Amino acid sequence: MAVVISNPPEQGQLVTVRQRRFVVTDVAKSSLPAKPLPNVHGIQHLISLASVEDDALGEELQVIWELEAGARVEERVALPEPTGLDDPERLDAFLDAVRWGAASTADVKSVQAPFRSGIEIEDYQLDPVVRAIQMPRVNLLVADDVGLGKTIEAGMVALELIVRHRARRVLVVCPAALQIQWQEQMRDKFGLDFRIVDTTLMRELRRKRGIHVNPWAHFPRLITSIDFLKRERPLRLFRETLPAEGESIYPRRYDVLIVDEAHNCAPSGRGKYATDSLRTQALRDLVPHFEHKLFLTATPHNGYIESFSALLELLDDQRFARGTLPDRKQLGAVMVRRLKSELKKYDGTPRFPLRDLKPLEVPYTADEKAVHALLRQYAKLRLTGCADQAEKFASEFVLMTLKKRLFSSPAAFTATLAQHEKSLRTAVRRRAAARPTIGILQRQLDRVEEEYADDEEYELATDDALESASRLFRETTDEEAGLLKKMRNWAGQATFQPDTKCAVLIDWLTQNIRPGGKWSTDRVIIFTEYRATQNWLHERLALEGFSGDDRLMTLYGGMDSDKRERIKAAFQADPAVSKVRILLATDAASEGIDLQNHCCRLIHYEIPWNPNRMEQRNGRIDRHGQRARKVLVYHFVGQGFQRESSRDIPVGE
């Protein structure tokens, strides 16, 4: 059966090929293949095309016209015959549409993106896009406070550059849990279609296009996670799309790089020990090949100038150098930083709800105070008997980890104590085989302090660090062994029953979320640092009757993305529709996710040692779109601590 194809087009005509519109740039008789193609009558024509679609403007394609099923030439359309005059309002709207659609690269006064977006714009969100169109090469660190809409600001910048034909290929690098959210935001609010590059897409492309397909070259706008990109194979495939060794990197192969939660890619540690992580190394491979870069983070500075300056160097190596204090004037040129407290309404009133911090007093029992005393005594003996600085350094890390887990929950403390005792039993043998240097140990400890999207990876990093630290330990004395046994006995009993802090939490939930045994419409998020504590809390609350009928849900790093989205949607839905009232979440689930629709209460089950993590937690509900007048944040303190700590503070301070 012969293939019936319309006559070949002429140069300059519009055609539809593969359900996309192109303009014909060249028409030639095909010289390949040498023999006529079967079932095709007539001369074969090789047509060169350039896309005129908004999302692939300028993309080139060559086809043999006679083989393209469904290809057609668009009929030339003449101007319509005038039949009358339009209303002045209609003409005015038409002229506005022409003016707004005629963006020029040289015009730095007319911003197009807000008018082409489905967003309710806030005036402060225009600052990044206004800065961007005035910069010959966009390098911006958008460091607005948590919840001010950094995703919206980045989307407007990307759309503005695309509209002005200054960009076409865009890559968004974000935590794995935020990939779907980024895809939906860009599609729904800006009309930009993004593809998520992950193992699922790679399998699909290999099945459809062959085993040698490169996922980074199949679409102009992509989203991926930093933890996927840092792997050996994805990073190798990305390097294949870059200029070969000795080849010029100009013009750059990619246009816009957006890095969400960019602080996760900064080197961890301090001073000479601030070494690049795998995330940092992957980002260093990427940034030279992008014309424009946007780094998004609410917590850009972790307290160490080495880490912050390295992040700035990744953004703009012409203005900043690693290890050098950044110049304030140059920093002001690339950094956009606003706090919620600084943003006011037209009448001077706060634009965002006030944050109200409330302590929950815990009357610790004598047994609970005793186990803390045992741990302090054990720590003192351990540190006193250190043979050198390396052993002291290792001991401080292990003892600090034990203290953090003890303040979290008996379950978290039990797991870490068991790991510590196991390491002590084999320390002598392993120390003889391999004794790590303080530098190697520091790098492993820095890994523990990184932000993890998967709770299991975080626990593995902690276990590895504990294992390495134990190789520097001396043998345990009889007194130390006795203290470990007492703590182990206490933990074994406490793990199977709620401690005093858990009892206070249950009382609070009973009074505020389920008063009188009936569920209210209020919701609360309970954040914890450790997965073991989350599981333990879930069991304790289930025994108290809080988990029935989908009232209690959990979010944690590493869970299935579809399940995560269902839980998020349920928590964001109206309480009259969704029954969930309590959400248990770990720190790995505290970045970038929006939970403010119907929730204004948050409880820190333990205070994270990194203040940036605490601010990320608060930002889940203290953000743009919060409807309540106040955001209530609760934390636990020992009974009487507030009164005792305030005695020395003068009145009025």
Side-chain angles (χ1 to χ4, degrees), residues 174-359:
C174 63
L178 303 183
Q179 292 179 113
I180 296 177
Q181 180 170 314
W182 265 96
Q183 185 182 43
E184 293 176 347
Q185 294 272 343
M186 294 298 101
R187 180 194 63 211
D188 299 342
K189 292 181 168 57
F190 300 101
L192 297 176
D193 185 20
F194 278 78
R195 307 285 171 83
I196 296 176
V197 181
D198 55 11
T199 53
T200 302
L201 178 71
M202 291 181 67
R203 285 197 300 267
E204 181 181 349
L205 289 177
R206 290 182 66 183
R207 186 172 62 252
K208 292 182 177 179
R209 304 186 185 180
I211 60 174
H212 299 295
V213 66
N214 194 321
W216 305 107
H218 86 289
F219 197 72
R221 291 183 300 279
L222 302 172
I223 297 172
T224 192
S225 74
I226 184 62
D227 290 321
F228 175 78
L229 184 62
K230 74 181 183 183
R231 299 176 187 171
E232 188 275 333
R233 187 164 184 268
L235 193 57
R236 174 174 55 80
L237 289 173
F238 190 89
R239 291 193 182 108
E240 291 178 1
T241 67
L242 302 177
E245 185 176 355
E247 186 180 354
S248 175
I249 67 171
Y250 304 102
R252 290 182 170 90
R253 301 298 173 88
Y254 293 88
D255 298 316
V256 182
L257 173 65
I258 301 175
V259 182
D260 195 13
E261 307 297 347
H263 58 275
N264 293 339
C265 301
S268 56
R270 64 197 75 86
K272 63 181 179 180
Y273 293 118
T275 56
D276 287 355
S277 64
L278 291 177
R279 293 173 177 174
T280 312
Q281 294 170 11
L283 198 58
R284 285 193 187 280
D285 286 347
L286 265 64
V287 292
H289 304 283
F290 284 83
E291 188 74 15
H292 313 288
K293 296 183 284 291
L294 278 82
F295 286 7
L296 315 180
T297 172
T299 52
H301 205 305
N302 62 2
Y304 302 116
I305 186 61
E306 178 76 14
S307 180
F308 181 59
S309 61
L311 182 64
L312 292 174
E313 183 191 39
L314 288 171
L315 176 69
D316 192 336
D317 59 2
Q318 301 299 311
R319 283 189 169 100
F320 309 103
R322 182 172 181 172
T324 303
L325 190 67
D327 180 81
R328 286 189 174 273
K329 183 177 180 181
Q330 296 298 333
L331 184 60
V334 302
M335 184 170 172
V336 180
R337 174 71 170 170
R338 280 81 56 90
L339 302 178
K340 295 190 188 78
S341 57
E342 300 172 349
L343 301 175
K344 307 290 183 181
K345 294 181 180 179
Y346 67 93
D347 57 357
T349 58
R351 188 190 291 256
F352 294 92
L354 299 176
R355 187 186 298 179
D356 192 1
L357 305 180
K358 293 181 176 294

Side-chain angles (χ1 to χ4, degrees), residues 358-499:
K358 293 181 176 294
L360 297 175
E361 291 195 350
V362 181
Y364 290 107
T365 64
D367 287 343
E368 291 169 343
K369 293 179 181 178
V371 73
H372 282 273
L374 290 173
L375 182 56
R376 285 195 299 271
Q377 185 179 356
Y378 176 73
K380 183 178 179 180
L381 291 173
R382 264 286 162 193
L383 294 174
T384 303
C386 290
D388 52 29
Q389 189 64 31
E391 183 179 351
K392 183 179 180 181
F393 180 74
S395 299
E396 287 176 344
F397 164 71
V398 174
L399 296 171
M400 193 64 67
T401 303
L402 286 170
K403 290 179 180 179
K404 291 167 64 176
R405 301 296 175 104
L406 180 57
F407 274 108
S408 180
S409 71
F413 178 69
T414 300
T416 306
L417 183 63
Q419 174 70 20
H420 175 54
E421 290 190 285
K422 178 183 176 182
S423 300
L424 287 175
R425 288 193 295 270
T426 58
V428 177
R429 174 174 53 82
R430 287 182 291 105
R431 183 167 65 244
R435 179 183 173 88
T437 64
I438 192 171
I440 294 175
L441 181 59
Q442 177 66 62
R443 285 194 290 272
Q444 287 190 297
L445 303 192
D446 290 340
R447 282 185 58 214
V448 177
E449 296 302 319
E450 291 180 10
E451 301 286 345
Y452 285 91
D454 191 326
D455 283 296
E456 186 175 347
E457 290 183 6
Y458 173 60
E459 292 298 333
L460 288 175
T462 303
D463 290 345
D464 289 344
L466 291 171
E467 194 78 13
S468 295
S470 69
R471 298 179 186 177
L472 298 169
F473 281 11
R474 56 173 171 79
E475 293 187 33
T476 307
T477 65
D478 291 341
E479 186 177 2
E480 291 169 349
L483 293 172
L484 287 172
K485 182 179 179 180
K486 291 179 181 179
M487 289 188 289
R488 182 173 65 252
N489 292 337
W490 173 87
Q493 297 176 358
T495 302
F496 299 101
Q497 58 189 8
D499 61 359

Side-chain angles (χ1 to χ4, degrees), residues 101-118:
S104 169
T105 302
D107 184 6
V108 297
K109 295 183 179 179
S110 299
V111 181
Q112 300 292 309
F115 303 102
R116 295 170 178 255
S117 309

